[in-house]
Amino acid sequence: MDAYELLTRNAEEVVTDEEVRDLAEDAAGKRAYVGYEPSGVLHLGHLLTANKLIDLQEAGMEVVILLADVHAYLNEKGSFEDIRETAEQMKAQFLAYGLDEELTEFVYGSEFQLEDDYTLDLHHLERETTMNRAQRAMAEIQGDETAKVSHLVYPLMQTLDIEYLDLDLAVGGLDQRKVHMLAREKLPELDYEVRPAIHTPIVANLTDGEGKMSSSEGITISMEDSTDELEDKVNSAYCPPTRDPEPSEDGTERENPVLELFEYHVFPRFDEIVVERPEKYGGDLTYDDYEDLAADLESGDLHPADAKGTLATYLDELIAPGREKLYELRD
RNA sequence: CCGCCCUUAGCUCAGACUGGUAGAGCAGUCGACUGUAGAUCGACUUGCCCCCCGUUCAAAUCGGGGAGGGCGGACCA
C-alpha cells in the first residue's frame, strides 16, 4: 500500500486531496496529530482515529497525540490532577493498542498552551473570530446547552495547537471538521501556514444504526469491556442482512453498524478474517477483504449471527492488550 | 441592578388555579417470534416532585426564603 493510500483509506473526508497528495509524496518524518480530551477508558471512537494514526506511522510519519488537559479543563472535566491521571491511563492504552512508541509523541496541552506567545496569539485569534463562528465550530463537540465563553475559546485553541505543535496534518473524527475548517481559514490571518486535515468516519449507533455511536448515550464498546460484555454488546447490535438498511419509520438514515465495525476496525488491523461456523451452516469462511464479507452478508451467504460472533472475537483481540494494561494500572 | 419564566422518571413534559405523598410518551429491562439485531406482540421497572422554613390532620400543589437555568430591561458614566 503506498503512502497516499495509507493516509486516505477509510477516511470520510480529505481536505484537500491535493494537499494530502503532496504530503504523501514525502511523508517520512512529517508530523500529524489528533487531540483528545483525556478520558480514563478508550472507546471505539478513540480507536478509529488511532487506526488512522497507525496508518500514518506505517507511512513513516510521526504522530503527536495531544492530551488536551486544558481543553478538558475548559470543558469542566475535573481538576488538573484528575485529568492527568486519566491521561496517563489513556496514553498506556494507546501504546498497548499498537501505536509505535518510537513514532509517537504524547504532549500535554498545558506544556505549551499557557505560554505568553500562545496566549497572545489566542487573543489575536479572538479578535479575528466572531462568536457566531466559534460557536458553530464547537456545536458538534459541545452538543448540550448554552455556550459559555470557554466553549468559544476551545476551538480557537485547537486552531493554534496545529501551529504550535509544528504539524503537517490534522486528524480527527468528522465531528472535528468545523474546527479544522476554522483553523484553515484563520491560520493564514495570523500569517501561519494552512495544514490539510483528514477526517475519520463516525460509526453509527450500535443499537439502532442511527446517528452516531456516542460515549454519552447508547451502547459503547470500550477498552474495559470483558469478553462476555463485548459479545453481549455486539450481539445486541442492529444488523439487518444488508449494507444499506432502510431508513427508520421517522425517516432517519440508518447504517449497518456491524459492517462498519468490520470495515473500520477489523479489516484494517487483520490480514485475514476467519468466520468459524458449524458444519450445519456451511463450515468456516475466510475473508481478506471487507467488500467480500459485506457482499456475502448481503447475499445471505453469511448470516448476521455468524458475522456478529466473528466481530466480537476480533474486537476482543484488538482490545485485549489495552484492557490488561488498564486493569494493571487500576490495581 | 431591576423584572418575568422555568426546575417532577434516563429524556420531553402533564399534574399546581380547586392540598389527600405522581402520571403519559419516548427510552430501558425481560419474555415470545425470527439461526442475529430490528419490526411486531406480551409483561415489567424507574422518582430526595431543586433545597430550607412555615400553614395544615395532610404540601409536588398554598405562603416565605434560597439555589440553579433561561429571557428581557435599565444604566450608557
Side-chain angles (χ1 to χ4, degrees):
Chain A
M1 207 178 291
D2 69 18
Y4 174 74
E5 206 174 326
L6 281 169
L7 264 61
T8 58
R9 72 159 165 174
N10 280 344
E12 181 79 18
E13 180 181 43
V14 174
V15 186
T16 64
D17 191 60
E18 291 75 20
E19 293 172 59
V20 171
R21 278 183 192 281
D22 285 348
L23 183 63
E25 287 293 311
D26 184 23
K30 294 287 169 47
R31 288 161 64 83
Y33 107 116
V34 183
Y36 302 100
E37 272 188 43
S39 124
V41 180
L42 299 191
H43 55 71
L44 287 187
H46 295 113
L47 299 185
L48 191 54
T49 46
N51 286 341
K52 179 48 63 192
L53 298 181
I54 290 171
D55 287 340
L56 300 182
Q57 289 182 335
E58 207 170 311
M61 292 181 70
E62 283 175 27
V63 159
V64 180
I65 291 184
L66 174 66
L67 302 168
D69 55 347
V70 178
H71 285 94
Y73 178 77
L74 285 173
N75 226 356
E76 301 177 64
K77 293 294 169 60
S79 69
F80 273 93
E81 289 77 29
D82 295 342
I83 293 168
R84 180 165 286 263
E85 190 181 324
T86 57
E88 288 299 317
Q89 290 181 11
M90 183 179 224
K91 183 172 160 181
Q93 290 169 79
F94 272 124
L95 292 174
Y97 183 64
L99 281 165
D100 183 341
E101 197 160 3
E102 296 296 311
L103 292 173
T104 309
E105 182 184 342
F106 291 90
V107 180
Y108 277 95
S110 52
E111 288 174 37
F112 65 98
Q113 291 164 343
L114 305 174
E115 299 293 321
D116 291 351
D117 289 354
Y118 187 99
T119 303
L120 207 55
D121 266 349
L122 181 57
H123 292 325
H124 186 175
L125 199 47
E126 287 161 7
R127 298 192 319 194
E128 302 292 336
T129 311
T130 63
M131 299 219 298
N132 198 350
R133 186 66 198 279
Q135 201 171 345
R136 280 196 295 129
M138 191 58 189
E140 282 293 316
I141 305 166
Q142 187 196 346
D144 60 332
E145 298 125 46
T146 317
K148 302 230 175 78
V149 175
S150 56
H151 293 130
L152 303 184
V153 171
Y154 192 109
L156 301 186
M157 287 180 57
Q158 286 181 273
T159 295
L160 287 184
D161 292 343
I162 293 171
E163 170 65 26
Y164 277 74
L165 290 171
D166 192 23
L167 304 172
D168 302 290
L169 174 70
V171 175
L174 198 61
D175 56 328
Q176 298 292 320
R177 87 178 295 274
K178 287 189 179 171
V179 171
H180 289 155
M181 295 310 173
L182 178 73
R184 286 177 60 85
E185 186 175 319
K186 296 298 175 186
L187 285 176
E189 293 180 22
L190 306 198
D191 287 325
Y192 295 138
E193 219 173 296
V194 170
R195 275 73 157 193
I198 289 176
H199 299 134
T200 62
I202 305 289
V203 172
N205 185 301
L206 209 53
T207 308
D208 57 20
E210 297 176 18
K212 51 191 190 183
M213 188 162 81
S214 142
S215 49
S216 54
E217 57 180 273
I219 294 175
T220 308
I221 292 173
S222 76
M223 278 285 189
E224 67 183 344
D225 287 334
S226 68
T227 302
D228 286 349
E229 282 171 325
L230 207 147
E231 278 173 6
D232 285 347
K233 287 181 179 182
V234 171
N235 187 48
S236 70
Y238 173 71
C239 185
T242 173
R243 66 178 97 192
D244 190 21
E246 294 293 314
S248 68
E249 285 177 38
D250 63 7
T252 313
E253 285 297 319
R254 283 193 286 204
E255 303 298 329
N256 185 324
V258 171
L259 282 182
E260 288 187 325
L261 295 184
F262 268 113
E263 183 176 14
Y264 301 130
H265 287 280
V266 176
F267 277 95
R269 298 295 306 276
F270 295 94
D271 292 331
E272 187 177 84
I273 308 300
V274 178
V275 177
E276 294 186 12
R277 202 166 61 167
E279 283 306 323
K280 131 179 157 182
Y281 293 129
D284 294 358
L285 291 167
T286 303
Y287 299 97
D288 57 13
D289 183 51
Y290 163 73
E291 289 303 326
D292 296 340
L293 183 146
D296 275 5
L297 187 80
E298 190 95 47
S299 71
D301 290 340
L302 174 63
H303 191 278
D306 294 320
K308 283 182 174 180
T310 306
L311 177 63
T313 302
Y314 282 93
L315 287 180
D316 189 58
E317 193 172 326
L318 284 173
I319 282 168
R323 176 172 57 210
E324 271 176 44
K325 195 76 197 171
L326 191 59
Y327 289 171
E328 189 184 310
L329 287 171
R330 285 175 174 176
D331 285 339

